[in-house]
Amino acid sequence: MSSENLSSDKPLHLTQRPRRLRRTETLRKMVRETILTVDDLIYPMFVMEGESIKIEIASMPGCYRFSLDLLLEEITVVSQLGINAIALFPVIPEEQKNDTGTESYNPEGLVQETVKAIKKAVPEIIMITDVALDPFTTHGHDGLVDENGKILNDQTVEVLVKMALSQAEAGADFIAPSDMMDGRIGAIRQALDAEGYINVGILAYSAKYASAYYGPFRDALDSAPKFGDKKTYQMDAANAKEALKEIELDIAEGADIIMVKPALAYLDIICQVKTATNLPVAAYNVSGEYAMIKAAAQHGWIDEKKVILETLTSMKRAGADLILTYFAKEVALMLM
């Protein structure tokens, strides 16, 4: 068939031609609905005991466990790239763990000393500290456990309150309860206010699912549960209405920011949550999501940079105002 036969002197009469707005990169940028910026990103980082230590996490290529001295150097770089906030996670030595996680609220513990050092070195960075017992317990669960293996809710909340207060005293800007115990947001808010920490915010892991996407993170912290699973306190992956219930409760109890975790398989939840609240919504682009992209890129199966940006943009398009992502540093460099 000749090109002459494929053309016509008279084009179709179309009132709307959406392709007009896709014609050039400049036009596409002008009408783009969702813009990912470095201001949207929160960088999760891992700290460990020791000096001059930087250990790559095997299941999370490009992510490292840092000793405090090297972590401070990295945070200085991260801040210069325009990343405004980090979420801190500790690698606790086995000898400091016990069944009740008492090291979690040690005023001279790893988290507390790290927060103090970071706020002194880079005071403008927003420090978000994790509140959950799994890094600190021998059993690897987020709560206290009775002799029958049951996770105890109210007794756990009492420990979480101590943990949150110790982090606030160290200088944390946001407390981030990730444990999914009932009532912990209200208890922590009440305790913070009573001790004068009225400006310390709460970023609540409100809809945290019992997900298979957390494996690499648990490798990073050596915090996998030693028995059972976390399905009695983290949410069932099949449920959406329950997420809205959890969100509503956390807002009523005093959360300042609410979060959905994981993100990629839960974009529908992010969208529903965004519609249901006027609070900022965060999404956690978790370790398994990160690892899958890294693994595919290492095999040459995908264009890594394009997939990273497309993935994070999808989370923002779904309604996330903030994204916790291990890609934060890479994305900041891409967006410069």
Side-chain angles (χ1 to χ4, degrees):
M1 185 179 292
S2 69
S3 59
E4 183 179 353
N5 293 330
L6 291 174
S7 62
S8 173
D9 293 334
K10 292 184 179 181
L12 292 173
H13 181 71
L14 300 176
T15 303
Q16 291 292 332
R17 288 182 180 268
R19 284 184 60 190
R20 287 193 199 104
L21 298 181
R22 306 175 197 147
R23 188 169 55 85
T24 69
E25 177 63 17
T26 303
L27 271 172
R28 291 192 293 272
K29 286 181 179 178
M30 285 177 62
V31 299
R32 190 160 289 156
E33 299 171 24
T34 304
I35 308 296
L36 180 70
T37 76
V38 70
D39 292 329
D40 304 322
L41 308 177
I42 298 171
Y43 195 14
M45 302 185 77
F46 302 100
V47 65
M48 63 184 300
E49 300 278 4
E51 294 183 5
S52 302
I53 300 173
K54 179 181 178 181
I55 301 174
E56 188 171 29
I57 300 163
S59 55
M60 299 175 67
C63 290
Y64 300 87
R65 305 179 188 93
F66 293 96
S67 56
L68 177 55
D69 54 339
L70 297 188
L71 182 71
L72 292 176
E73 293 180 9
E74 183 71 0
I75 289 175
T76 300
V77 172
V78 165
S79 178
Q80 291 169 349
L81 290 174
I83 295 171
N84 297 316
I86 66 167
L88 184 67
F89 297 97
V91 182
I92 302 300
E94 285 298 321
E95 62 270 17
Q96 293 180 13
K97 297 181 181 183
N98 58 32
D99 288 348
T100 55
T102 53
E103 181 64 18
S104 67
Y105 53 88
N106 178 1
E108 298 178 355
L110 178 60
V111 171
Q112 291 78 0
E113 292 300 311
T114 299
V115 171
K116 293 173 189 175
I118 292 171
K119 294 303 288 186
K120 182 177 180 180
V122 192
E124 66 273 16
I125 203 87
I126 300 298
M127 282 297 309
I128 301 169
T129 50
D130 181 59
V131 174
L133 292 182
D134 51 326
F136 300 93
T137 55
T138 50
H139 47 71
H141 277 284
D142 298 49
L144 303 182
V145 181
D146 71 8
E147 63 274 9
N148 298 313
K150 178 182 177 182
I151 310 301
L152 302 172
N153 190 94
D154 296 6
Q155 295 91 325
T156 297
V157 170
E158 293 178 9
V159 180
L160 299 177
V161 166
K162 295 178 182 179
M163 186 176 179
L165 286 174
S166 73
Q167 294 173 353
E169 184 179 2
D173 298 290
F174 276 87
I175 304 301
S178 64
D179 56 285
M180 290 300 287
M181 297 297 125
D182 293 339
R184 90 277 203 213
I185 301 300
I188 290 172
R189 182 73 271 164
Q190 184 177 0
L192 290 171
D193 290 352
E195 294 298 321
Y197 298 114
I198 59 173
N199 292 321
V200 174
I202 297 178
L203 190 166
Y205 287 63
S206 299
K208 181 179 180 181
Y209 286 84
S211 171
Y213 283 92
Y214 302 150
F217 177 89
R218 291 171 181 169
D219 290 343
L221 295 188
D222 188 25
S223 62
K226 300 300 188 293
F227 66 90
D229 54 40
K230 300 190 176 187
K231 293 182 179 179
T232 66
Y233 48 101
Q234 295 178 359
M235 288 177 51
D236 189 323
N239 293 355
K241 292 179 182 178
E242 185 183 9
L244 300 180
K245 178 181 180 180
E246 290 281 7
I247 295 291
E248 182 181 355
L249 289 170
D250 282 0
I251 292 173
E253 291 178 23
D256 298 286
I257 301 172
I258 52 180
M259 184 155 67
V260 176
K261 180 183 181 182
L264 191 56
Y266 298 85
L267 296 177
D268 61 318
I269 306 299
I270 296 170
C271 185
Q272 291 182 57
V273 167
K274 182 62 176 178
T275 302
T277 180
N278 291 320
L279 286 185
V281 176
Y284 203 140
N285 176 213
V286 298
S287 60
E289 298 164 2
Y290 174 92
M292 288 192 300
I293 290 176
K294 285 293 184 180
Q298 287 178 349
H299 281 83
W301 295 338
I302 60 171
D303 183 317
E304 182 177 1
K305 290 184 178 181
K306 289 181 180 178
V307 170
I308 291 170
L309 292 176
E310 184 176 344
T311 299
L312 298 189
T313 298
S314 77
M315 296 168 190
K316 191 170 181 187
R317 188 183 66 242
D321 300 290
L322 301 167
I323 303 171
L324 283 81
T325 178
Y326 303 99
F327 292 118
K329 186 178 179 182
E330 294 176 67
V331 171
L333 288 167
M334 292 181 213
L335 297 178
M336 290 183 71

